[in-house]
Structures are given as structure tokens and as C-alpha cells.
Amino acid sequence: MKNISVIGAGTMGNGIAHTFAQSGFKVQLIDISEESLKKGIDTISKNLDRMVSKEKISEDQKKSTLDNISTHTDISEAVGNADLVVEAATENTELKLKIFRHLDQQTSADTILASNTSSISITQIASVVSNPERVIGMHFMNPVPIMKLVEIIRGYNTTDEVTNKIMELSEKLNKVPVEVNDYPGFVANRILMPMINEAIETLYNGVAGVYEIDTVMKLGMAHPMGPLQLADFIGLDVCHSILEVMYNGFKNPKYAPCPLLTNMVRAGKIGVKSGEGFYDYSESRKAEKVSAQFSSK
């Protein structure tokens, strides 16, 4: 594989593009607007600058990484020669199905189609493709250039050949691929999201405050960040979407989003990217100040 197309220039998409490009692949980064693409490239450049300052890469490596990435607003022109397409659009089922229907028409039959979905069924996504055996899940972790894990999700029809190629490719990215089967939430979010939801329930029920809940989990369970801080980092809207996918998939009330989470998403207080969630990020992107909504509780 040499040519990789990445759909979506947001947090996950630009991280995936960065990772492939730094490993020497030619990357076509695709989004619907030039503004989104510029923002994505700016993020990649800043992240590379940080790596240069820490002496993890050289200036020449930064330049070659950026040179490996081209940007496109026309999906048709950007995927025609791709060996692999990685979809990293918003976690919305209908949007992903629309993208894969289009990819089915615009790519060759031997192009592997991967989704970075964190919870949506790969089998469902593959159902809109004429040859679903070439569809697979590549669930990267955020931040993509740093985190080692890639969940490799086989759909019902995904072939051994496709799975093996993606496992080997992930290793070439200096990642650790782990193969899992196609059930809502896969492994990572099936375990993580109920924990985050329970932390929100604990706050909602007045058991303890934001700082206290996160401190217990950091110091008592050796987690690098507390579950409420992590939820802010992921995005409360993303957490809510994943929980709804699992709740609808399993019909088990333990996956139902906490009412507090639902209300915060409706209010637009979705974490770091909106400037406020369980913490206030108006002055710093670090979780140093509890949101005023919770600071007196």
C-alpha cells in the first residue's frame, strides 16, 4: 500500500493523516471545506513542531511529512487511486452510510475501505457496499500520533486477507493492532463508556464533586486522567453518541446516557472543543478549573 485517502480533517482525521504521512505514505486528506482542511493541516504542523522541539523528529522529517499530504474537497478525485480509504467523519450512522455508498461507486473493487468509527457496526456500514468483504474497522485512539492501540474490527463478511493486510499495515505505523469482533462499542468503548457514564451518574446523584470523582480514579485506580476529564477530552457529544449506539444495539438500560450528560450536550457544553464541560477551558486547555455549574457542589 502506498496511497491512503483519509475522509475528515477533524481531530481523528488529521491525526490519522499525520500518522500515515510520517510513516512515508502518500495521503489525500479530504473534507467538505477548505477551512476545515486548513485547520487540519495547521494542527498537524503544530503537532509536528512539538515533536521537533522534543527532538523526536527532525525538521527534515517534519517537512517530508507535510509534503506527503495533499488536501481535497472533491472526494471522487481523491480516492480513485487509493489503496486504502479511512473514513473519519462524525460519529453519525447515516453520514457514514452515505459516504460508503459513494466510496462503493468511486473506488476500485480491491481498494480496502476502513472506518474509524468508535462504536457503529462495521457489518452495517459494509451492507451498503457491493463487495462488503473489503470493509473493516480501524479504530485509532486519540491523540493518534501518540497512542499505540488500533482496534481492528472485522465485519461479518470481512475476509482474512483484508484483516491480515490491515494488521500488518498498522504495525508499519508503529501501532499495536488488536483484532476484535463486531459488536456495539467493540472492546474499548464497551468498557470505557459505561465507566464514564457511571462517573457522570455519581456526580448527578450528588455522591461527590467533579474534582473529587476524578481524583479518586487518578490516585486510587492509577488512571492518567479522571473519567470526567477524559469525557471532556473525548467530547461529551461523542460519548453520548457512543452510549446511544450501545443502548440501541444491546437494549440494555446500563448503557443509557445519564440525563446530566444529555442535558449538557443539548446545552452545547461538550468539553474542551466548546470551552466548557465538567471543567472550564476558557483560560487553559488543561482541566484545572471546575466548571461554574459544578464548582459549588
Side-chain angles (χ1 to χ4, degrees), residues 123-144:
T123 303
Q124 182 180 9
I125 291 172
S127 69
V128 300
V129 176
S130 55
N131 47 343
E133 62 274 7
R134 65 177 172 138
V135 179
I136 195 166
M138 288 186 81
H139 180 208
F140 291 86
M141 304 294 127
N142 185 27
V144 181

Side-chain angles (χ1 to χ4, degrees), residues 102-291:
H102 191 64
L103 290 174
D104 188 40
Q105 302 298 317
Q106 300 297 328
T107 58
S108 64
D110 56 356
T111 299
I112 296 176
L113 305 179
S115 176
N116 182 59
T117 179
S118 53
S119 60
I120 297 168
S121 168
I122 298 301
T123 303
Q124 182 180 9
I125 291 172
S127 69
V128 300
V129 176
S130 55
N131 47 343
E133 62 274 7
R134 65 177 172 138
V135 179
I136 195 166
M138 288 186 81
H139 180 208
F140 291 86
M141 304 294 127
N142 185 27
V144 181
I146 296 171
M147 299 293 278
K148 290 287 189 182
L149 176 67
V150 186
E151 271 189 311
I152 307 299
I153 304 103
R154 294 182 67 130
Y156 191 82
N157 293 298
T158 308
T159 63
D160 289 341
E161 180 185 5
V162 166
T163 302
N164 291 336
K165 281 184 178 179
I166 295 302
M167 295 285 282
E168 291 170 7
L169 178 66
S170 300
E171 291 174 351
K172 290 178 181 177
L173 298 176
N174 197 29
K175 301 298 185 187
V176 178
V178 176
E179 183 182 336
V180 304
N181 289 319
D182 186 23
Y183 292 95
F186 316 132
V187 171
N189 282 318
R190 184 168 180 174
I191 295 170
L192 175 63
M193 286 302 153
M195 183 193 75
I196 286 176
N197 202 42
E198 195 63 30
I200 299 171
E201 287 278 2
T202 303
L203 176 66
Y204 179 58
N205 292 330
V207 178
V210 170
Y211 172 80
E212 290 75 14
I213 291 168
D214 277 355
T215 300
V216 166
M217 296 305 291
K218 285 190 287 185
L219 300 185
M221 312 303 165
H223 290 192
M225 65 174 73
L228 300 177
Q229 180 188 356
L230 180 56
D232 276 356
F233 179 71
I234 294 169
L236 303 191
D237 54 337
V238 176
C239 294
H240 193 272
S241 294
I242 295 170
L243 285 164
E244 287 198 314
V245 167
M246 293 197 295
Y247 177 62
N248 291 330
F250 291 114
K251 298 294 186 280
N252 188 325
K254 75 177 181 179
Y255 298 115
C258 174
L260 174 58
L261 174 60
T262 300
N263 280 342
M264 290 180 72
V265 171
R266 286 172 176 166
K269 297 183 177 182
I270 57 176
V272 176
K273 59 189 173 185
S274 71
E276 184 179 1
F278 295 106
Y279 293 88
D280 184 335
Y281 302 95
S282 58
E283 298 176 3
S284 171
R285 288 176 65 87
K286 296 181 180 179
E288 298 172 330
K289 180 181 177 183
V290 174
S291 173

